[in-house]
Amino acid sequence: QNTNGIHIGRSDGVNVLNTEIKTCDDCVSIRDGSKILVINGVTCGPGHGISIVSLELFKNEEPVDGVTIKNCTMTNTSNGVRIKSWPSVETEAINIICSATLHCENVELADIEIMHSGSTGPVVSQCSNVKPKVSGKQNPAACFAPIPTKPISAA
């Protein structure tokens, strides 16, 4: 049984704006084929947070491309934002932007392996207002890149 708040898959141009979601599962779950998705002003919790989930579970799944998550509040969630995939399966989630001006507590970065293909430069991990617990593989290095002095625009 699935108790996700909002479940999005194979959709283009969806906006989830200014809403409160209280479920003990994913507040928003994003499946394959989702493109140009904006999640803005969502209050989430309790639950798992916002998840890009189970990519490459089935054959012929499409990549997730162009997800912007900003101005969201997570309360009593097991995760903030996560990309959840299957072990030893190559997953494609591209152009994922998470931005927030929040103080985060009890943040854990575990087993991250992000590969980059394209001409826009290497993958970096940037963190502010957080001191995460780091475990397992970290590629790129957790919170390694400096935060730009001018905020990155997230449409």
Side-chain angles (χ1 to χ4, degrees):
Q1 182 174 5
N2 190 320
T3 57
N4 293 328
I6 297 174
H7 188 72
I8 301 167
R10 296 196 181 216
S11 299
D12 191 346
V14 174
N15 295 324
V16 179
L17 307 173
N18 306 315
T19 190
E20 184 174 357
I21 302 170
K22 293 182 176 184
T23 179
C24 290
D25 206 337
D26 295 324
C27 292
V28 179
S29 71
I30 303 162
R31 289 293 311 259
D32 80 294
S34 297
K35 295 175 176 47
I36 316 304
L37 171 63
V38 174
I39 301 171
N40 186 0
V42 172
T43 299
C44 175
H48 296 308
I50 297 171
S51 300
I52 299 172
V53 298
S54 304
L55 299 175
E56 297 296 332
L57 177 59
F58 303 105
K59 290 183 180 181
N60 302 319
E61 286 194 348
E62 299 173 15
V64 171
D65 184 0
V67 176
T68 301
I69 302 167
K70 61 184 182 176
N71 303 317
C72 294
T73 301
M74 307 291 171
T75 304
N76 296 321
T77 58
S78 57
N79 305 287
V81 176
R82 68 179 170 167
I83 299 174
K84 184 176 86 172
S85 63
W86 296 96
S88 67
V89 173
E90 188 173 308
T91 297
E92 191 169 5
I94 51 181
N95 298 316
I96 310 300
I97 300 169
C98 298
S99 65
T101 308
L102 299 172
H103 178 72
C104 302
E105 296 178 0
N106 301 320
V107 172
E108 181 178 351
L109 300 175
D111 298 319
I112 297 172
E113 176 69 24
I114 300 175
M115 307 301 275
H116 178 270
S117 62
S119 61
T120 58
V123 174
V124 295
S125 171
Q126 298 176 324
C127 301
S128 64
N129 302 323
V130 66
K131 293 180 181 175
K133 176 183 173 187
V134 177
S135 65
K137 188 166 193 162
Q138 297 291 315
N139 181 28
C143 303
F144 181 73
I147 301 296
T149 55
K150 184 176 181 181
I152 298 171
S153 174

